[in-house]
Amino acid sequence: MIKTLTRRGLLQASTVAAALALGLTACGGGGNAAPQQTVNSDAVEAALQKGGKLTVWAWDQSLKKVAEGFEAKYPNVDVNLVNAGTGNDQYTALQNAMSAGSGVPDVAQIEYYALPQFALSKSLAELGQFGAANLDGTFTAGPWSSVQAQGGVYGLPMDSGPMALFYNKQLFDKHGIAVPTTWDEFLEAGRALKKADPKAYIANDTGDAGFTTSLIWQAGGKPYQVDGTNVGVNFSDEGSTKFAETWQKLIGEDLLAPISSWSDEWYKGLGNGTIATLSTGAWMPGNLVSGVADGAGKWRVAPLPQWEKGANSSAENGGSSLAIPAASSQAALAYGFLKYSNVEEGVQARIDGGAFPATSKDLASEKFQNTEFKYFGGQKANQIFAESAKNVPAGWSYLPFQVYANSIFNDTAGQAYVSGTKLKDGLAAWQKASVKYGTEQGFTVKE
Amino acid sequence: MSVQTAARPSSAGAGTPAPLKFRTPRLRSPRTPGSRRSRRSLALTLLMGLVLLYSLAPLFWLLVNATKTQDGLLNSFGLWFDGDFALWDNIARTATYDGGIFLRWFANTVLYVVLGAGGATFLAVLGGYALAKFDFPGRKAVFAVVIGAVAIPGTALAVPTFLMFSQMGLTNTPWAVIIPSLISPFGLYLMWTFAAEAIPTEIMESARIDGASEARTFFQVCLPLLAPGIVTVLLFTMVATWNNYFLPLIMLKNPDWYPLTLGLNAWNAQAGTAGGEAIFNLVITGSLLTILPLIAAFLLLQRYWQSGLSAGSVKE
């Protein structure tokens, strides 16, 4: 029996070790870039005329219409639109496919915060070779800087999320509370609202990495410094401190509803007046219309509250790009699709589908600016969003391992929302864990 | 117990009154030392009731909420019905939403279960029988491998399996889900021990002496004896394959080949993306429809399972 046991133990140990080793390769690999070919825009046009089958991994629903239009314009191209999962699920699948070297799509939807990770590992085709660098000025500043890394362009911005304050006007009016224009007023409004209606909260927040980094961005903070594989993580700068102090008060005074965004409870709270405001990206209206039918007519949009009175600063929240995996054998054709979707006709198709564009021209267009939102009582909300898009501070960057960093937010900084930990200490813990992981992954990380 | 009372008189000869009289008090005796025992059983009953409530409450919740519209879902008390009874409407919409892809997912799941769980059971029965009833070199090594394999969660093997299948060009095909499902170390182990207990070697020997081939001995003599074990393994592999999530998540990228678990998750995730429609009511109705076949399978198969348990208990 002892013999069997040892053999069994050995066997188990070796199998587990093998599994781990392979698993690690799967996570860390993907560095085999396809041979760089120099293709110019003529080659893209030629590829479009010649045609072929393009596999596109994207979860954005409005791309269906875009793909139809694209196929109609270029009849030889067949677009295979695949929803390979949303957000993280898709990145895992993409990483796996890249490691395995097969089943890699020709085009993939990648959110801005995740793009540096794929760009740095050379898993994506650099688009300058197709003339993407000439697109400077086509997109608003925030998204355009988000698709650049290492001095190259690694995706074309599909949509953007300049932030604004969505608020339940009916609720504010009922209690005679003014719509906040600064975060200090926001705090005051939260206190007043709680006093007037103990069941209502000024906002919901259970700890959200994307939201936290967006507000620090707005406050002028630059916690992440990225220069190739040299990375700095520091949450003690002025912007981060401003955010931590204000949010600490909101958490400490129980002014934030303990409801996670996107849950059914959240949809419910937005409809029944439990959650009074949402500070989020300009892509939100579509979700309100379909998910919070009860709120129609009650909700309005206002500029994002400011950190300094009279200031004019915003940030991006969410938004994604389309990128071309380096392993795709049809990069030129894929670039044709990217251009059609994100620069040419596809943009309008997506706007019609309720998406918020990243192209300056469309944001400035009369038609776009004058669109009246029935949901917001006929308000021309796009004017607020477009203004916000102009006011996003430059120079922000995400970590080249932001997907991982965001995944551990709730174990570190997020603890402040559920236990007695101070948000400041939580951010420090997040910083420490991020630095540790980055170092393990071979980055030179300094705090 | 009814088996015992029916069996005893016949073995004791004609139903003479004496043994009956003798037997009655013996049967009742466990109840008569009375008060202490019944109090204990009351506590047990209460505990049992709690456990029952605990396990049925989620099911009840699912059933109740499948009858609500998306609005009703958000605006009514979770554990009771809403004014509108939208169950039929929900079922119809679940079946037709997004071009009726739910039905496709359902068919996929059935396919994976029939080929995967069915195949796994078949292989486990063959293997377990062979290991229990035939002596050959390396049997102990197989034992070590099987026990080791039971201890490794499938999740840990998913990524290596993906890389291997990717080399073979099998990813994103139904085979990528079916082939790994065919292996059930636990099922093999269960069949092995069951076959060792349930098939008397003498029966096999007498079959051989009567001139039956090995295949015939297995299929006609031994297989019926294994039925309860087979049902048990089938239930286990069926549940595992029906609920399989991680493996298909890694292997499949084409929604046309998704099983229900992945498909419903995709619908659920839709509520959390920019521009995505929140369809919690369809997700809930879909979940209800997803568990119905499993419940049906349990109800249909459990009698074989039960008879198996009692069959063991009356054996000499």
Side-chain angles (χ1 to χ4, degrees):
Chain A
M1 197 60 210
I2 289 171
K3 220 174 178 180
T4 350
L5 265 175
T6 21
R7 213 185 299 168
R8 181 180 98 192
L10 244 167
L11 190 96
Q12 254 176 269
S14 58
T15 320
V16 169
L20 273 175
L22 280 163
L24 282 177
T25 339
C27 301
N32 314 330
Q36 285 273 338
Q37 60 226 104
T38 8
V39 195
N40 52 26
S41 49
D42 291 345
V44 173
E45 194 55 35
L48 283 169
Q49 295 309 329
K50 186 166 165 269
K53 192 171 175 186
L54 269 186
T55 302
V56 179
W57 281 11
W59 61 87
D60 189 303
Q61 306 276 324
S62 67
L63 273 177
K64 267 185 200 153
K65 273 269 175 319
V66 176
E68 281 168 23
F70 182 71
E71 284 172 333
K73 188 172 174 189
Y74 303 103
N76 295 331
V77 191
D78 181 18
V79 177
N80 178 22
L81 196 60
V82 172
N83 180 350
T86 304
N88 245 337
D89 284 353
Q90 200 241 45
Y91 304 140
T92 310
L94 196 60
Q95 200 72 263
N96 280 340
M98 284 166 169
S99 309
S102 75
V104 184
D106 300 302
V107 176
Q109 176 178 2
I110 300 179
E111 287 158 282
Y112 297 130
Y113 84 93
L115 198 69
Q117 176 166 333
F118 288 94
L120 192 73
S121 58
K122 298 263 179 281
S123 312
L124 298 177
E126 203 278 309
L127 305 180
Q129 54 179 321
F130 303 111
N134 304 334
L135 293 172
D136 207 357
T138 308
F139 303 102
T140 52
W144 182 239
S145 73
S146 299
V147 294
Q148 308 198 39
Q150 325 268 312
V153 181
Y154 286 90
L156 291 190
M158 180 156 69
D159 57 4
S160 63
M163 291 177 81
L165 180 78
F166 298 79
Y167 66 99
N168 188 333
K169 183 174 188 293
Q170 202 184 51
L171 197 67
F172 275 81
D173 287 351
K174 186 175 150 196
H175 300 301
I177 299 169
V179 178
T181 60
T182 66
W183 290 113
D184 285 334
E185 286 176 26
F186 186 81
L187 178 64
E188 289 303 326
R191 289 173 179 149
L193 183 66
K194 194 182 182 186
K195 216 168 160 188
D197 181 355
K199 274 193 299 193
Y201 294 90
I202 186 77
N204 74 292
D205 197 352
T206 54
D208 179 334
F211 176 74
T212 302
T213 45
S214 286
L215 280 205
I216 291 174
W217 183 351
Q218 189 212 9
K222 283 179 189 170
Y224 302 132
Q225 301 289 345
V226 182
D227 177 19
T229 52
N230 291 316
V231 179
V233 186
N234 180 5
F235 279 101
S236 57
D237 64 0
E238 201 189 333
S240 309
T241 310
K242 270 188 210 167
F243 168 78
E245 280 172 359
T246 306
W247 239 251
Q248 187 61 57
K249 287 176 197 155
L250 284 159
I251 297 169
E253 295 174 34
D254 284 329
L255 302 178
L256 299 172
I259 296 172
S260 300
S261 297
W262 307 110
S263 61
D264 49 348
E265 215 186 345
W266 180 70
Y267 277 110
K268 184 176 172 173
L270 293 176
N272 68 10
T274 312
I275 301 170
T277 72
L278 263 184
S279 308
T280 193
W283 36 259
M284 191 66 210
N287 293 78
L288 283 172
V289 172
S290 79
V292 195
D294 271 1
K298 295 182 199 165
W299 284 71
R300 294 290 184 278
V301 183
L304 192 66
Q306 296 296 314
W307 290 101
E308 310 280 346
K309 190 144 188 86
N312 196 4
S313 177
S314 179
E316 294 273 341
N317 183 256
S320 45
S321 65
L322 290 179
I324 304 173
S328 165
S329 55
Q330 329 184 65
L333 184 62
Y335 186 76
F337 180 74
L338 255 61
K339 211 166 166 206
Y340 177 89
S341 312
N342 295 353
V343 182
E344 295 161 2
E345 292 95 323
V347 180
Q348 191 57 46
R350 295 193 67 254
I351 294 174
D352 294 342
F356 194 83
T359 38
S360 326
K361 190 185 82 191
D362 295 285
L363 286 174
S365 84
E366 200 134 316
K367 186 181 166 209
F368 183 77
Q369 295 255 345
N370 289 330
T371 305
E372 292 182 1
F373 286 76
K374 234 167 80 187
Y375 192 89
F376 301 126
Q379 192 183 9
K380 290 176 183 170
N382 279 342
Q383 295 179 352
I384 295 169
F385 300 144
E387 185 62 28
S388 168
K390 282 188 208 154
N391 299 327
V392 176
W396 173 268
S397 53
Y398 285 113
L399 288 176
F401 44 89
Q402 194 71 37
V403 176
Y404 173 82
N406 281 8
S407 76
I408 56 165
F409 180 86
N410 284 78
D411 302 330
T412 53
Q415 287 301 308
Y417 295 80
V418 289
S419 68
T421 326
K422 289 274 174 279
L423 187 54
K424 191 168 153 280
D425 301 335
L427 286 173
W430 193 25
Q431 172 178 329
K432 212 172 147 199
S434 300
V435 168
K436 182 166 169 278
Y437 178 81
T439 310
E440 283 167 6
Q441 294 295 304
F443 292 96
T444 313
V445 194
K446 59 177 199 309
E447 295 194 37
Chain B
M1 247 175 229
S2 60
V3 178
Q4 264 184 344
T5 33
R8 276 297 167 92
S10 64
S11 65
T16 41
L20 264 176
K21 260 181 194 165
F22 173 66
R23 289 177 48 78
T24 338
R26 256 186 71 185
L27 267 178
R28 287 211 177 135
S29 62
R31 284 181 223 160
T32 32
S35 54
R36 207 190 54 186
R37 212 151 229 232
S38 64
R39 240 187 295 136
R40 207 172 115 195
S41 86
L42 180 74
L44 273 178
T45 312
L46 276 177
L47 187 71
M48 196 58 191
L50 272 177
V51 173
L52 188 74
L53 203 68
Y54 178 78
S55 32
L56 286 185
L59 208 63
F60 177 73
W61 181 91
L62 190 64
L63 201 63
V64 163
N65 286 282
T67 68
K68 297 176 184 173
T69 59
Q70 170 73 16
D71 267 354
L73 204 58
L74 299 182
N75 297 318
S76 65
F77 178 61
L79 278 175
W80 199 242
F81 295 94
D82 189 32
D84 305 336
F85 187 83
L87 180 61
W88 312 125
D89 191 42
N90 279 346
I91 291 176
R93 269 195 70 206
T94 305
T96 52
Y97 188 79
D98 207 359
I101 193 138
F102 182 83
L103 298 178
R104 170 85 199 222
W105 293 335
F106 203 95
N108 290 343
T109 305
V110 170
L111 177 80
Y112 299 152
V113 165
V114 168
L115 293 184
T121 310
F122 184 66
L123 291 179
V125 171
L126 287 184
Y129 171 74
L131 285 163
K133 288 295 163 191
F134 296 88
D135 213 356
F136 55 91
R139 230 170 71 145
K140 281 205 167 141
V142 175
F143 182 78
V145 170
V146 171
I147 294 291
V150 169
I152 299 172
T155 325
L157 293 174
V159 172
T161 315
F162 170 82
L163 293 174
M164 190 173 83
F165 275 37
S166 180
Q167 294 286 318
M168 298 159 72
L170 286 174
T171 48
N172 216 0
T173 66
W175 296 113
V177 177
I178 295 168
I179 294 174
S181 305
L182 288 176
I183 313 302
S184 168
F186 180 67
L188 176 64
Y189 179 72
L190 212 68
M191 278 323 295
W192 184 347
T193 39
F194 193 86
E197 287 294 316
I199 306 173
T201 314
E202 293 82 356
I203 291 191
M204 290 170 66
E205 279 165 358
S206 71
R208 284 181 192 137
I209 288 165
D210 288 348
S213 66
E214 280 305 325
R216 186 162 174 182
T217 312
F218 171 66
F219 282 108
Q220 287 196 322
V221 178
C222 300
L223 209 55
L225 292 170
L226 291 176
I230 295 173
V231 169
T232 312
V233 173
L234 187 66
L235 273 176
F236 275 118
T237 52
M238 234 178 89
V239 172
T241 320
W242 193 274
N243 293 333
N244 202 352
Y245 175 76
F246 194 68
L247 184 76
L249 174 74
I250 293 227
M251 293 290 181
L252 302 176
K253 285 302 141 256
N254 185 349
D256 283 346
W257 285 115
Y258 279 3
L260 285 164
T261 44
L262 274 193
L264 286 174
N265 187 55
W267 276 7
N268 199 30
Q270 194 180 306
T273 58
E277 192 186 0
I279 44 167
F280 294 120
N281 58 333
L282 301 192
V283 174
I284 287 171
T285 311
S287 307
L288 180 68
L289 295 177
T290 301
I291 62 164
L292 287 182
L294 272 190
I295 293 177
F298 257 93
L299 292 179
L300 287 173
L301 291 179
Q302 72 168 355
R303 38 191 288 240
Y304 297 101
W305 199 4
Q306 269 180 351
S307 81
L309 293 175
S310 56
S313 68
V314 284
K315 228 178 65 186
E316 293 297 314

